[in-house]
Amino acid sequence: MKLQRFDIHVLSKFSTCLADQHLHVSPLMGKIADIVNRKLENIRDLRSLSVLMVSISSLISQRFQEQLVKKAELLFDTIDSSQVNIARRIVQFLRNIKYCYYPLLERCNKIFLSHANHLDLESISKILSLYHFLQFHSFEFVLMTKNRLTEMIPLIDHPASFVKLFIALGPSAGPEEKKQLESSILLMSAELTSQQALAVIVALEEMESRNSRLIKKIASILHKHLDDYKPIELLKITQALIFLHYRSKELFVKLREALLSHLKISVKSSEISLLVYAISMLPSPHLDEVVISRIEAVLPQCDLNDLNSFATSVLRWIQYDYMYLESTTGKQLKLLQKLDHYGHQRLQKFNNLNRLWEELKSLKGDWFVESLLEETIATLQCLMDEINYVNVAGISSFIARMNYLDTLILDRIASVVLQQIEKIHPFAVLAIILPFSILNYDPPQRDEFFGTCVQHLNSYLTVLDPLMLVFLGFSFATLQYFPEDLLKTIFNIKFLDRLDSQLELLCSSLNMRVQFRLMELNRAVCLECPEYQIPWFHDRFCQQHYNKDIGSMNGVQQHVYKMLAEVLGGINCVKASVLTPYYHTVDFECILDKRKKPLPYGNHNTTLGKLPASHWESNTPIVRSRLPPGAERIAFDFLDLRAFCRNIPHLKGKSAMKKRHLEILGYRVIQIPHFEWNSMALSTKEARMDYLRERIFGEGKS
């Protein structure tokens, strides 16, 4: 067959026929890929090219992938906004090559948005699935399709179609829609296939469902078909059932048997690692010889993700043995030593940053941090000249996630951004800013770096998702950087309405996190930028979430409380768990007069006042009782591990911001780091008392 004679349109149809026959990696498909590569410069038909891109995506090199992406971007202006299928195929191609390329995704998303009211269930379901895989978030698309999907609930009665609706709508549905979805799927549950039941249980996990009747019913279907599932599907079932707090000894016994059955015959390291991981999650885990032998057999071929997965599983077994058997076997510890050895060996082989990043981007957990993080940072330092506009956001997010302050790498990141900002999509700016914000680090060209990032964002302020803008505003605020345009966009009634709409689509944990970040940003702007005249409007929110937590002390705090009382001259000279104006929490507070003598709280009204009822008035003063002339309030802030960078005792962004705010509120702040308080030098009560006297009064032993 002379494939070379086919024009691009015929070639695309032929590639689809091969794909339909599951011949994605056949020699014929390879020849088609070669023809496309040779003719790419002259191709002008994006419809045919998009078909070919999807068909040949399994066979092509990274360089060819990038050429196709650029060509698709170039040809995008040749199509009109009605070409939904072309846009969907381009997103499918990006999913196939695992490349979240924002410029193309954004343009495809605009086409989807313009036709959101006309998309059918199949199209919406597919697009949401592709976005989820690529971790591309479009609040507007989710909101528009949510309304369309909600209208479909009473219209669909076929199980296969309703399962698609359940998966697509469930995670973003409100309480009433969730109730309708769950009651409908329960009625259809007897007709569900094994794959449909799997899809439903994963969706229930994402929905954080507590419908025990439905969970039990779906679990019973899964139980019947456990022998039919692939290893990755068994892992999904295990994770979902554990997350949903489902308990069934019979099901878990059979699930363990199914996992072990696959483990005995599996030869791929990635598959073995996920099987071992699933087994370790099951109740009453036990590390037997079969598991150990299968792990040891594949160690030489493991990548960092496999090794990390094995280590997490082994540590889970060790923890279980410690809790219930009060012993750890030598085999488990030897296995951990082998994992350490192969991990270090793997790191030493990397001479390319992109290959290293492929293995780093999803790594997390205690083993990696304790065993490999130092060497990983050293490897990143050796390869940091390869940081560029493509990988800079990923490397930044890794540094932020690891809480590891390395100024060489952060300076390189800042330098790349300044040099290549035009090639970096605004969607990536948050990931780039995060390590500087979290780790409280200003690069040498601080103002130019932050200013360049902000300027790059300005034209996208109406496009970015509301929650991303909130996180951006907060990240800049921790760095004492307050971009006026960004803040005026956020503290605007229309924006806050959009944010409320998005909050309804989020899971409860992320919803609360966004609300707290908005409150913290509001507080930072009120205290640090009063000239912006942005009002404080979080009093009610803070009363709901803080008042109930104030007043109780743990054992360590009670011990410190008694020592402070002794140093200050009585229990009535120190207050514990204090709420300041704008709702910062202070571990302990005391007041010294102008002669540095402690003032007892009972003798005069020193309770911190609350803000006035009207918080929308500009420059609202903080109402507080007056102190005697020359007196000062002192706030004691005990700083645990979380307040510092992982590798050095450098104060992180949130703790530094809290200190600034307390000082603005009139406090002298005494921060007591855990590594000082728990040091050998302060191992006795007398030493700690002297330490407190020195910090409070500037004197040693009395």
Side-chain angles (χ1 to χ4, degrees), residues 10-289:
V10 175
L11 198 65
S12 69
K13 286 195 168 185
F14 184 62
S15 73
T16 301
C17 293
L18 291 178
D20 290 343
Q21 299 300 315
H22 305 291
L23 298 172
H24 298 87
V25 292
S26 63
L28 267 179
M29 195 70 88
K31 289 180 180 178
I32 291 173
D34 182 58
I35 293 168
V36 174
N37 189 26
R38 285 188 280 109
K39 293 184 176 182
L40 186 60
E41 191 175 338
N42 298 317
I43 294 175
R44 297 288 178 269
D45 178 10
L46 186 54
R47 192 205 69 79
S48 298
L49 180 62
S50 66
V51 174
L52 287 162
M53 287 166 67
V54 173
S55 297
I56 66 176
S57 57
S58 303
L59 291 168
I60 57 180
S61 67
Q62 184 177 348
R63 184 167 175 268
F64 191 13
Q65 290 172 3
E66 291 169 0
Q67 289 175 331
L68 287 170
V69 168
K70 292 297 180 187
K71 186 67 176 183
E73 197 173 10
L74 193 66
L75 294 177
F76 212 92
D77 291 331
T78 66
I79 65 170
D80 60 49
S81 61
S82 65
Q83 301 296 327
V84 173
N85 287 335
I86 293 177
R88 184 164 52 80
R89 284 193 292 268
I90 289 172
V91 179
Q92 178 71 59
F93 171 73
L94 293 173
R95 181 253 179 259
N96 289 357
I97 65 172
K98 301 176 182 177
Y99 185 19
C100 185
Y101 185 65
Y102 289 126
L104 259 183
L105 285 169
E106 186 189 357
R107 296 175 80 173
C108 292
N109 191 57
K110 285 180 180 176
I111 289 181
F112 299 147
L113 285 172
S114 66
H115 287 77
N117 291 328
H118 304 289
L119 294 175
D120 60 15
L121 173 60
E122 183 70 32
S123 297
I124 294 172
S125 175
K126 183 68 173 175
I127 293 166
L128 287 172
S129 173
L130 294 172
Y131 280 1
H132 182 75
F133 181 89
L134 289 166
Q135 294 189 310
F136 177 75
H137 306 288
S138 171
F139 155 63
E140 302 290 352
F141 183 76
V142 173
L143 186 61
M144 290 181 74
T145 54
K146 177 193 172 186
N147 297 332
R148 179 137 175 78
L149 292 170
T150 302
E151 293 168 0
M152 296 181 188
I153 295 177
L155 305 177
I156 299 176
D157 56 7
H158 189 271
S161 297
F162 198 85
V163 167
K164 286 182 181 176
L165 176 64
F166 190 88
I167 296 164
L169 180 58
S172 62
E176 193 56 40
E177 291 90 6
K178 280 184 181 178
K179 190 176 178 181
Q180 290 180 54
L181 287 169
E182 290 179 343
S183 60
S184 297
I185 203 75
L186 185 60
L187 291 173
M188 299 179 190
S189 58
E191 303 173 64
L192 297 181
T193 65
S194 59
Q195 288 301 310
Q196 289 165 355
L198 170 62
V200 170
I201 201 70
V202 171
L204 287 171
E205 178 188 12
E206 198 171 345
M207 292 161 63
E208 300 180 353
S209 175
R210 291 295 175 262
N211 189 326
S212 57
R213 187 180 171 200
L214 176 58
I215 294 168
K216 184 177 180 181
K217 182 63 180 177
I218 300 301
S220 68
I221 301 169
L222 296 170
H223 194 166
K224 292 177 189 173
H225 299 283
L226 279 180
D227 294 333
D228 302 329
Y229 291 115
K230 298 173 185 175
I232 185 65
E233 293 169 340
L234 290 172
L235 173 61
K236 288 179 180 179
I237 290 168
T238 306
Q239 289 175 320
L241 292 177
I242 297 294
F243 178 85
L244 294 168
H245 305 293
Y246 180 74
R247 296 286 180 267
S248 167
K249 184 177 180 180
E250 187 183 355
L251 189 152
F252 284 138
V253 166
K254 188 172 180 182
L255 182 54
R256 181 183 172 85
E257 289 172 357
L259 289 163
L260 285 169
S261 176
H262 281 285
L263 184 63
K264 289 173 183 176
I265 60 173
S266 181
V267 293
K268 291 167 62 178
S269 59
S270 57
E271 190 171 271
I272 291 173
S273 68
L274 71 85
L275 287 165
V276 170
Y277 189 84
I279 293 169
S280 74
M281 291 181 71
L282 294 173
S284 304
H286 175 64
L287 183 58
D288 56 29
E289 292 295 332

Side-chain angles (χ1 to χ4, degrees), residues 310-322:
F310 284 138
T312 302
S313 303
V314 173
L315 287 170
R316 196 176 281 143
W317 277 307
I318 288 175
Q319 184 181 20
Y320 175 82
D321 285 353
Y322 179 77

